[in-house]
């Protein structure tokens, strides 16, 4: 057994428990997330036109939050610009976030119809009309692929499944070849796991609780076919989940909350890095503000153009501010789109020829299996996955055993596979449309499907079961048209130097998932966080 356990923490650093107590978390976590409150002083209002800031961070996901916290701790005032909402105010139902089973105006970024990753069930399409609003999940459509991303203060941490996976060390050289693995596994992965509040499930509880029956069925089927089942850590507070199961606290994971936000229990960045960053008193955030341009200022620093938007997406103000340093943390797609535009339109013409290249979707492919009636997966399913099937070395696939929290017995096993596909796409600027294009083809997913089949064909043969064909359309087995894990586009040591500095532009940095060349072999946010910790430490000691 070689589970994806958390690497040991760095000696002398604050423990996870100490850290969470310090940020007001532990059991109060769920209630905190309701109000969005923390012990931190209130952040100043949105950035003003003409402002000058020492450090401006574009985006409030993993990379941006690490940068903001560490810069602030080093004494630098930071302003974070986030195109999504703050997600700190309840709607008319008293909840900040909508439920996965009942998407509403809060669920999608500027769409009039939902685009649910599982689009169909038993032959029925699930999508429905919703009012256009700056909702939490962006289903951004490119030819051949829909890229799902979180929008709001906390970025992807708001919507993701919380799976906090440190890749096996033997695979690290293929993930980030120019990075010292010893440093990552001794220092930065432990630091990231601590900062994120990663915890592991109590395995005795896993073995007995109704809400992980689906995962136990997945484990049984994997092991009967000779595959390795691995437990996966998570940032969802498993003690809170136990109390949900006991009926002692308001439910989130056990009430099907996940891709449109969790009202309780999940340690999103709002509860961890961002709470700590705000508590320094040096970090302020402008939600509903979108960076559209960054260009050098004669005499040093950068001019940053920002559009303020309302909840319909309409621009209500355009602001021009000045920053000594700018950190691109808009996520793989956001940063790649900005950089190819700035290079092509003459704002940052000196960006190198690697800009926009090396983009991948972490080989994501989804599928479901139909089980026999004697293998029910349970009507109560925790929305937080905590196990997977590892066939990476033999077949190029790691499959997360995912929930289908419909509230009824479906006899279905559902999986998100991460595969070792060699395919990479590229962003480029389209002057005619004024948009960044991504050259991706759905057919490129065939290698991923083949790798996923190394697991599921074998399990189906052993169990005498079949693939579900009703989840992604009619008679469609594979969810091969989407990804949750965009990576690359400004690859480390290619588009940037080995610490994310943009060559030729002192004071410009990339610090998010766009640095990682397309694949992490597991779910990516722990690696994004650890790499950001490594890079910001170097930047603070050498550049400031
Ligand atoms: P990210 O978190 O996307 O943050 C970028 C931020 O920048 C966003 O808040 C944007 O709104 C903002 N932004 C973009 N453009 C601009 C602009 N021009 N101006 C201002 N702001 C801007 O980036 N990963 C895991 O490891 N485990 C999981 O269980 C998992 N589950 C997932 C489930 C779903 C449904 C989704 C969508 C993703 C999941 N992921 C998971 C992926 C993970 O959330 C993602 O890799 C990270 O959030 C990426 O982190 P970044 O810091 O790169």
């Amino acid at each position: 057994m070689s589970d994806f356990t958390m690497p040991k923490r760095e000696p002398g650093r604050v423990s996870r428990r100490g850290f969470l107590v310090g940020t007001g978390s532990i059991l109060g976590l769920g209630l905190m997330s309701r109000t969005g409150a923390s012990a931190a002083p209130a952040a100043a209002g949105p950035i003003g036109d003409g402002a000058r800031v020492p450090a401006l961070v574009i985006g409030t996901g993993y990379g941006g939050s690490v940068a903001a916290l560490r810069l602030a701790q080093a004494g630098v005032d930071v302003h974070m610009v986030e195109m999504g909402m703050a997600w700190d105010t309840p709607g008319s139902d008293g909840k900040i976030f909508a439920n996965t089973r009942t998407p509403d105006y809060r669920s999608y970024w500027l769409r009039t119809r939902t685009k649910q990753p599982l689009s169909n069930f038993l032959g029925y399409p699930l999508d429905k009309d919703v009012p256009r609003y700056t909702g939490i999940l962006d289903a951004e459509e490119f030819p051949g692929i829909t890229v799902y991303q979180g929008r709001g203060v906390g970025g992807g941490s708001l919507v993701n499944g919380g799976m906090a996976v440190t890749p096996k060390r033997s695979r690290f050289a293929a993930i980030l070849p120019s990075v010292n693995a010893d440093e990552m596994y001794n220092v930065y992965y432990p630091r990231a796991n601590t900062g994120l509040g990663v915890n592991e499930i109590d395995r005795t509880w896993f073995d007995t609780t109704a809400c992980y029956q689906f995962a136990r069925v997945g484990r049984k089927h994997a092991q009967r076919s000779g595959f390795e089942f691995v437990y996966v850590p998570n940032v969802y507070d498993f003690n809170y989940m136990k109390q949900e199961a006991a009926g002692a606290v308001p439910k989130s994971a056990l009430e099907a909350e996940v891709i449109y936000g969790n009202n309780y229990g999940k340690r999103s960045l709002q509860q961890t890095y961002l709470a700590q960053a705000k508590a320094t008193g040096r970090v302020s955030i402008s939600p509903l503000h979108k960076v559209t341009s960054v260009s050098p200022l004669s005499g040093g620093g950068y001019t940053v153009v920002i559009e303020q938007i309302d909840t319909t997406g309409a621009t209500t103000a355009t602001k021009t501010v000045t920053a000594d340093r700018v950190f691109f943390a808009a996520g793989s797609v956001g940063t790649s789109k900005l950089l190819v535009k700035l290079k092509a339109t003459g704002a940052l013409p000196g960006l190198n020829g690697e800009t926009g290249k090396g983009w991948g979707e972490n080989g994501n492919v989804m599928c479901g299996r139909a089980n026999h009636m004697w293998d029910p997966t349970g009507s109560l399913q925790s929305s937080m996955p905590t196990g997977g099937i590892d066939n990476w070395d033999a077949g190029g696939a790691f499959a997360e055993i995912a929930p289908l929290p419909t509230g009824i017995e479906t006899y279905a096993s559902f999986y998100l596979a991460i595969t070792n596909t060699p395919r990479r796409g590229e962003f480029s600027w389209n002057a005619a449309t004024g948009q960044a294009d991504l050259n991706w083809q759905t057919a490129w997913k065939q290698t991923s499907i083949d790798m996923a089949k190394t697991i599921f064909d074998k399990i189906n043969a052993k169990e005498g079961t079949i693939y579900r064909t009703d989840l992604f359309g009619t008679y469609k087995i594979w969810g091969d048209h989407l990804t949750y894990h965009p990576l690359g586009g400004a690859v480390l040591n290619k588009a940037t130097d080995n610490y994310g500095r943009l060559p030729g532009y002192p004071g410009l940095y990339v610090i998010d998932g766009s640095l990682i060349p397309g694949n992490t072999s597991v779910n990516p946010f722990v690696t994004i966080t650890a790499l950001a910790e490594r890079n910001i430490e170097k930047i603070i000691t050498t550049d400031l």
Side-chain angles (χ1 to χ4, degrees):
M1 175 91 76
S2 56
D3 297 331
F4 286 109
T5 50
M6 298 180 291
K8 289 201 176 55
R9 72 184 148 87
E10 298 167 86
R13 287 190 73 86
V14 64
S15 71
R16 188 173 84 246
R17 186 180 163 77
F19 170 80
L20 291 169
V21 169
T23 58
S25 288
I26 300 285
L27 296 181
L29 174 96
L31 294 170
M32 253 181 57
S33 68
R34 260 189 82 103
T35 59
S38 72
I47 198 162
D49 189 28
R52 177 160 195 127
V53 294
L56 186 138
V57 177
I58 309 171
T60 56
Y62 292 93
S65 299
V66 170
L69 171 61
R70 301 308 176 199
L71 287 165
Q73 287 174 331
V76 180
D77 288 334
V78 180
H79 196 91
M80 305 181 80
V81 180
E82 169 55 54
M83 69 192 266
M85 307 210 318
W87 298 109
D88 56 3
T89 311
S92 57
D93 60 357
K95 301 250 170 125
I96 294 177
F97 303 111
N99 195 282
T100 308
R101 291 181 196 141
T102 50
D104 63 22
Y105 68 99
R106 290 168 289 197
S107 303
Y108 281 88
W109 179 256
L110 300 178
R111 298 185 79 92
T112 53
R113 194 165 172 77
T114 64
K115 194 166 175 71
Q116 302 187 54
L118 260 76
S119 55
N120 296 64
F121 197 71
L122 297 173
Y124 294 99
L126 298 177
D127 284 315
K128 64 173 195 180
D129 292 342
V130 285
R132 185 181 153 93
Y133 190 74
T134 45
I136 200 162
L137 185 64
D138 194 353
E140 191 170 0
E141 291 179 78
F142 295 99
I145 193 162
T146 300
V147 184
Y148 286 89
Q149 299 152 87
R151 294 276 175 251
V153 174
S157 78
L158 295 166
V159 299
N160 67 35
M163 291 181 76
V165 200
T166 301
K168 287 187 176 166
R169 190 178 167 137
S170 56
R171 296 171 196 164
F172 185 77
I175 300 167
L176 283 163
S178 63
V179 173
N180 180 324
D182 285 342
E183 282 182 7
M184 289 296 283
Y185 284 82
N186 293 337
V187 179
Y188 302 110
Y189 274 120
R191 189 176 294 175
N193 275 279
T194 301
L196 293 166
V198 177
N199 68 160
E200 291 175 11
I201 195 162
D202 168 352
R203 297 193 185 172
T204 313
W205 188 64
F206 175 87
D207 279 336
T208 52
T209 180
C211 69
Y212 281 113
Q213 185 179 332
F214 76 94
R216 294 194 299 272
V217 169
R219 176 178 64 182
K220 179 177 72 180
H221 290 174
Q223 290 177 337
R224 283 208 291 231
S225 284
F227 293 115
E228 185 185 4
F229 171 86
V230 288
Y231 291 94
V232 174
N234 203 294
V235 293
Y236 197 93
D237 183 342
F238 283 116
N239 285 326
Y240 189 87
M241 200 189 294
K242 275 186 181 173
Q243 294 181 63
E244 289 179 49
V249 292
K251 291 188 171 74
S252 183
L254 300 199
E255 195 55 51
E257 290 182 353
V258 57
I259 60 173
Y260 309 133
N262 284 88
N263 285 292
Y264 315 97
K266 191 163 79 179
R267 293 164 182 157
S268 76
L269 291 165
Q270 288 181 329
Q271 279 81 38
T272 57
Y273 276 95
L274 286 172
Q276 273 218 319
K278 285 194 205 164
T280 64
R282 290 191 177 277
V283 177
S284 51
I285 305 178
S286 293
L288 290 175
H289 280 61
K290 181 177 183 182
V291 171
T292 56
S293 181
V294 178
S295 54
L297 201 61
S298 59
Y302 293 87
T303 301
V304 182
V305 181
I306 304 170
E307 287 180 357
Q308 183 170 3
I309 59 174
D310 64 19
T311 56
T312 70
T315 302
T316 56
T318 301
K319 302 175 179 180
T320 303
V321 307
T322 305
D324 298 332
R325 292 166 202 285
V326 177
F327 291 82
F328 288 85
S332 161
V333 174
T335 293
S336 303
K337 288 197 308 186
L338 260 178
L339 291 179
V340 295
K341 170 183 161 186
L342 299 178
K343 178 174 163 60
T345 56
L348 298 173
L351 293 176
N352 73 25
E354 294 289 335
T355 308
K357 293 188 178 162
W359 186 85
E361 28 66 274
N362 214 19
N364 280 189
V365 66
M366 294 180 183
C367 70
R369 292 178 40 251
N371 292 313
H372 296 293
M373 298 290 271
W374 59 82
D375 258 342
T377 46
S379 55
L380 174 67
Q381 302 197 0
S382 168
S383 56
M384 296 291 137
T386 193
I389 304 167
D390 193 359
N391 193 38
W392 190 264
D393 292 332
F398 165 66
E400 137 192 354
I401 299 171
L404 260 183
T406 55
I408 54 167
E409 177 58 57
T410 62
Y411 301 96
S413 288
F414 180 52
Y415 308 90
L416 166 59
I418 293 163
T419 61
N420 196 8
T421 169
R423 284 293 191 176
R424 296 294 178 266
E426 180 179 344
F427 282 94
S428 58
W429 182 245
N430 185 331
T433 60
Q435 305 278 340
D437 291 341
L438 173 66
N439 71 329
W440 188 265
Q441 296 171 30
T442 308
W444 291 358
K445 286 277 200 187
Q446 190 57 47
T447 46
S448 293
I449 292 172
D450 294 342
M451 289 168 180
K453 279 162 72 80
T454 66
I455 296 176
F456 303 116
D457 279 2
K458 192 167 172 191
I459 291 179
N460 277 338
K462 176 81 183 172
E463 301 297 327
T465 50
I466 55 169
Y467 288 104
R468 297 277 296 222
T469 57
D470 62 325
L471 302 177
F472 305 102
T474 30
Y475 302 110
K476 181 166 164 53
I477 292 176
W478 299 100
D480 59 356
H481 55 293
L482 77 176
T483 184
Y484 285 177
H485 299 162
L487 293 165
V491 169
L492 189 79
N493 216 29
K494 289 188 169 174
T496 73
D497 80 352
N498 204 24
Y499 290 91
R501 301 179 185 98
L502 282 165
Y505 294 103
L508 289 191
Y509 308 91
V510 175
I511 190 150
D512 59 15
S514 56
L515 292 171
I516 298 173
N519 202 296
T520 51
S521 78
V522 290
N523 314 61
F525 73 63
V526 173
T527 298
I528 295 170
T529 306
L531 184 65
E533 289 278 19
R534 165 195 180 267
N535 292 356
I536 198 68
E537 186 174 87
K538 180 66 138 196
I539 289 163
I540 287 169
T541 48
T542 57
D543 295 14
L544 297 186

